[in-house]
Amino acid sequence: MPGDGVAIRQKVAAIKQKGEDRLRRLARFVRRPRASIAIAILGFIVLAAVTAGWLAPHDPMKANLSLRLEGPSRDYPFGTDWIGRCLLSRVIHGIRLTLIVGLGTVALGGGVGVGLGLLAGFYGRTLEMIIMRMTDLLLAFPYFLLTIVFVAVLGPSLVNAVIAISFWTMPHYIRLARAAVLSVKAREFVEAAKALGRPDFRILIHHVFPNSLTPLIVQSSIFCAQNMLMAASLSFLGLGAQPPSPELGAMLGTGRTYLRAAPQVVAVPAVGIFLGVLGFNFLGDALRDFLDPRLRS
Amino acid sequence: MILLLLGITFIVVCMMYLAPGDATVMILPNIASMEQMTELRREFGLDQPLYVQYGRFLARVIRGDLGTSWIDRRPVMSQVLDALFYTIRLAAAALTLSLVFGTIGGIASAVRHHSPVDEAVLTVTLIGISTPIFVTGLLLIYVFSFKLGWFPTSGVGSARHLVLPAVTLASFLVAYMARMTRSCMLEVLGQEYIRTARAKGLREVVVLCRHALKNALILMVTVVGLQVGLLLGGSVITETVFAYPGIGSLVVSAISARDTPLVQGCVLVISTGFILVNLIVDVSYAFIDPRVRLV
């Protein structure tokens, strides 16, 4: 039927238009100075992390005692550390670890936290009360202290640090997700889905969750930065990744003895952590400005 | 509050109980016989079940006795109080610095919203937040101790010993404080009463100080309360970097030595401080904000 053809064409045009709008919004976002800095830094870091095995000129663990604390040279662009390991290779692998830790803790803590927060906000009543009281309790603890105790007890390792940090990220996500659900729950489309007889679980996943994503995305970027800092701090104190590992905090923790003799041993991993954290903080900031209409100029 | 403290100490006792390897392994040399190890365990009460250990701990705390350290046999109470004194001095110095500079930066940024000043403050504070505390500390040591030789690298003694740790700790807090002040001020500056004050023809300084800042203060008190957690975490690292004998470095070394009484004492004192500050923040609303009244 000819009428159908027109309708379909109109629909296709509408979808295209929507896609273009999205692209235009994305372009507008990328053009902001802080967003473009963030994307440049993060692009660089992700690229380094993904291609670490290929990009690093040397094995990050291989020591060469005849080349201890050397300055930058053509073979070793950033110099070597106290047992002659290539600093460039170590920092590339370290950035990869830091990135994995940041994203991993957010995925773990955020995943569980958002799940619990959605449940609490959607079902309310007793379930909500139990979950929220637990959350309040967790947030009332001096978390840095307990993370330290937690890691020290589980045994200092990067995996345990990730578990501990994820655990203390979780309550923040629970609160955020619950607040988002509460604001979405009363909207018409949720009511419509309920009236259509959709099961609760599907409403939660298909209707409530996608519409409460915005604040979660902004916070995830900031939490990613914070957790990277936290993990590096734990490693620096000797409670995270253990020495031969090219984790940036651990490199600094053991390398600081050589601060006077060979500052590059400290400077290289320091710049690595700084760039990673800065990238995610910039991104979070830019996203918040962009997505939060109240702050838009 | 007491419930919260009970919870925290119980978690710590549990954790130390579950932890693999206890203090006896750390204290006795490898050649010690099984009997000697068992005897030391009995002396420390490590052979008792968990609830007995926790009960004994509580009974001691109520009498105001935190026990003696397993490693060097000094009373925990005096060690913790000594360290606490140093930490409070460091924290007070850092907090003062960050309050002064953070507030000024935040106000400047909010008043000139969307101007180069605002952008500069936002960028600089973002860099401040993104720099790990130990990196700031090591950088300051390198520049001011090694290169210029102005300040000592570590330890305590004179006021000069306090400068680098305090600046390190503050650098982090200033950034947070400035951003928070900025967003609080922006919120307040958009209110009707600010427009009224301006319409009355008041000078801008009066509008800012008497009308805007006073109201932004209410929001900021909450923020300062939240800073305490950050301050605590930051001071653990700062103290380690500068070998500063505060409670943060004490707890880290106690944990690695598995010195349970010392860890418990530190955790108890730190948590009490943390909870007390939060309580003070809540109560102080009533004084700052006339809309809130204590029942």
Side-chain angles (χ1 to χ4, degrees):
Chain A
M1 277 192 285
D4 272 359
V6 172
I8 288 172
R9 238 173 283 147
Q10 274 173 353
K11 251 189 186 163
V12 170
I15 290 170
K16 266 190 186 161
Q17 179 64 40
K18 219 176 167 185
E20 265 167 35
D21 281 353
R22 247 182 227 166
L23 267 183
R24 207 167 296 146
R25 272 185 65 145
L26 191 68
R28 228 178 45 220
F29 175 65
V30 172
R31 269 204 301 275
R32 289 162 170 254
R34 238 168 299 149
S36 51
I37 297 174
I39 289 169
I41 297 176
L42 288 180
F44 177 68
I45 285 172
V46 170
L47 195 73
V50 171
T51 60
W54 172 80
L55 194 68
H58 298 271
D59 179 353
M61 311 291 259
K62 195 171 151 275
N64 183 349
L65 288 178
S66 59
L67 287 171
R68 296 169 56 201
L69 302 175
E70 292 276 319
S73 63
R74 204 193 309 156
D75 260 5
Y76 297 90
F78 287 169
T80 58
D81 69 0
W82 60 97
I83 49 173
R85 290 174 296 197
C86 170
L87 277 175
L88 175 63
S89 310
R90 283 178 74 71
V91 82
I92 290 173
H93 282 271
I95 282 178
R96 170 147 84 172
L97 272 180
T98 301
L99 195 65
I100 293 173
V101 166
L103 296 176
T105 49
V106 166
L108 208 65
V112 178
V114 168
L116 288 175
L118 286 177
L119 289 178
F122 194 71
Y123 288 108
R125 296 187 206 182
T126 324
L127 185 68
E128 180 177 25
M129 209 196 71
I130 295 171
I131 294 179
M132 293 323 289
R133 285 296 85 75
M134 296 282 285
T135 309
D136 290 343
L137 195 68
L138 282 179
L139 288 175
F141 284 129
Y143 78 96
F144 192 83
L145 182 70
L146 280 182
T147 312
I148 291 179
V149 176
F150 199 76
V151 172
V153 166
L154 291 174
S157 81
L158 193 58
V159 175
N160 289 340
V162 166
I163 295 173
I165 296 170
S166 306
F167 193 69
W168 299 112
T169 315
M170 191 181 69
H172 296 277
Y173 273 98
I174 295 181
R175 276 206 173 161
L176 273 173
R178 173 177 163 269
V181 169
L182 288 183
S183 72
V184 171
K185 202 167 78 169
R187 303 257 293 272
E188 288 88 350
F189 57 83
V190 174
E191 224 165 284
K194 267 192 188 151
L196 284 171
R198 291 267 159 82
D200 279 357
F201 186 70
R202 281 193 58 137
I203 297 177
L204 202 56
I205 298 295
H206 289 282
H207 301 280
V208 176
F209 177 59
N211 284 294
S212 33
L213 263 178
T214 311
L216 293 175
I217 291 175
V218 174
Q219 277 306 312
S220 294
S221 184
I222 292 167
F223 271 124
C224 194
Q226 274 183 7
N227 290 353
M228 280 156 79
L229 265 184
M230 184 79 187
S233 307
L234 284 176
S235 297
F236 179 80
L237 293 175
L239 297 168
Q242 293 302 303
S245 155
E247 207 278 337
L248 298 170
M251 280 168 76
L252 271 164
T254 37
R256 71 187 167 111
T257 333
Y258 305 92
L259 180 63
R260 193 193 284 265
Q264 80 270 15
V265 173
V266 169
V268 171
V271 171
I273 303 177
F274 172 68
L275 278 183
V277 177
L278 188 70
F280 279 103
N281 269 336
F282 259 126
L283 183 69
D285 231 38
L287 278 175
R288 185 179 44 211
D289 286 358
F290 187 67
L291 294 174
D292 192 342
R294 277 181 312 162
L295 297 171
R296 211 175 286 166
S297 50
Chain B
M1 174 182 164
I2 295 196
L3 220 61
L4 211 56
L5 280 178
L6 277 178
I8 293 174
T9 49
F10 184 66
I11 288 177
V12 172
V13 172
C14 278
M15 283 179 159
M16 296 307 275
Y17 179 78
L18 295 171
D22 58 38
T24 51
V25 187
M26 303 280 184
I27 300 167
L28 292 175
N30 278 338
I31 46 160
S33 66
M34 256 342 242
E35 287 85 63
Q36 285 169 313
M37 298 247 299
T38 332
E39 196 180 321
L40 197 61
R41 280 221 178 87
R42 188 166 315 130
E43 195 197 321
F44 290 160
L46 282 174
D47 54 343
Q48 300 292 322
L50 179 63
Y51 61 90
V52 176
Q53 288 191 24
Y54 186 56
R56 284 183 178 173
F57 171 70
L58 282 186
R60 272 194 284 113
V61 169
I62 290 169
R63 291 199 304 268
D65 171 21
L66 290 176
T68 50
S69 158
W70 287 348
I71 306 295
D72 57 12
R73 307 248 168 205
R74 281 168 53 205
V76 169
M77 189 62 115
S78 71
Q79 280 195 57
V80 170
L81 287 184
D82 282 352
L84 191 65
F85 165 72
Y86 283 116
T87 297
I88 288 177
R89 212 163 66 165
L90 174 63
L95 208 57
T96 314
L97 280 178
S98 68
L99 272 175
V100 172
F101 290 102
T103 319
I104 292 174
I107 292 174
S109 172
V111 171
R112 302 257 174 276
H113 192 32
H114 289 304
S115 75
V117 180
D118 188 22
E119 284 297 318
V121 168
L122 275 181
T123 312
V124 169
T125 52
L126 205 56
I127 290 174
I129 289 174
S130 305
T131 317
I133 273 192
F134 45 89
V135 169
T136 320
L138 292 174
L139 187 72
L140 289 178
I141 289 181
Y142 186 73
V143 175
F144 291 103
S145 300
F146 290 170
K147 290 287 152 189
L148 298 171
W150 289 356
F151 300 106
T153 55
S154 57
V156 282
S158 63
R160 278 167 25 125
H161 283 91
L162 193 63
V163 174
L164 289 187
V167 172
T168 304
L169 192 51
S171 69
F172 190 66
L173 291 175
V174 163
Y176 269 99
M177 202 68 86
R179 296 185 79 103
M180 294 301 176
T181 311
R182 175 178 176 272
S183 56
C184 294
M185 279 297 273
L186 279 181
E187 201 168 322
V188 169
L189 284 176
Q191 301 282 337
E192 299 277 322
Y193 53 78
I194 297 295
R195 198 182 303 162
T196 312
R198 286 202 178 121
K200 279 197 302 188
L202 292 180
R203 274 178 303 134
E204 192 63 22
V205 184
V206 180
V207 174
L208 282 182
C209 293
R210 195 168 301 159
H211 295 259
L213 191 59
K214 251 188 182 171
N215 284 292
L217 212 61
I218 299 169
L219 301 170
M220 280 163 59
V221 167
T222 327
V223 176
V224 175
L226 292 173
Q227 303 283 314
V228 178
L230 278 174
L231 192 69
L232 208 71
S235 69
V236 172
I237 297 164
T238 312
E239 286 168 14
T240 311
V241 171
F242 289 97
Y244 187 88
I247 204 158
S249 50
L250 186 67
V251 76
V252 170
S253 64
I255 287 173
S256 45
R258 296 247 179 277
D259 192 347
T260 308
L262 196 53
V263 175
Q264 286 165 349
C266 289
V267 170
L268 192 68
V269 169
I270 296 176
S271 316
T272 312
F274 186 76
I275 295 167
L276 263 183
V277 171
N278 280 329
L279 195 70
I280 291 171
V281 168
D282 281 350
V283 173
S284 65
Y285 281 134
F287 291 100
I288 302 172
D289 189 348
R291 285 169 299 186
V292 179
R293 279 272 161 258
L294 289 179
V295 187

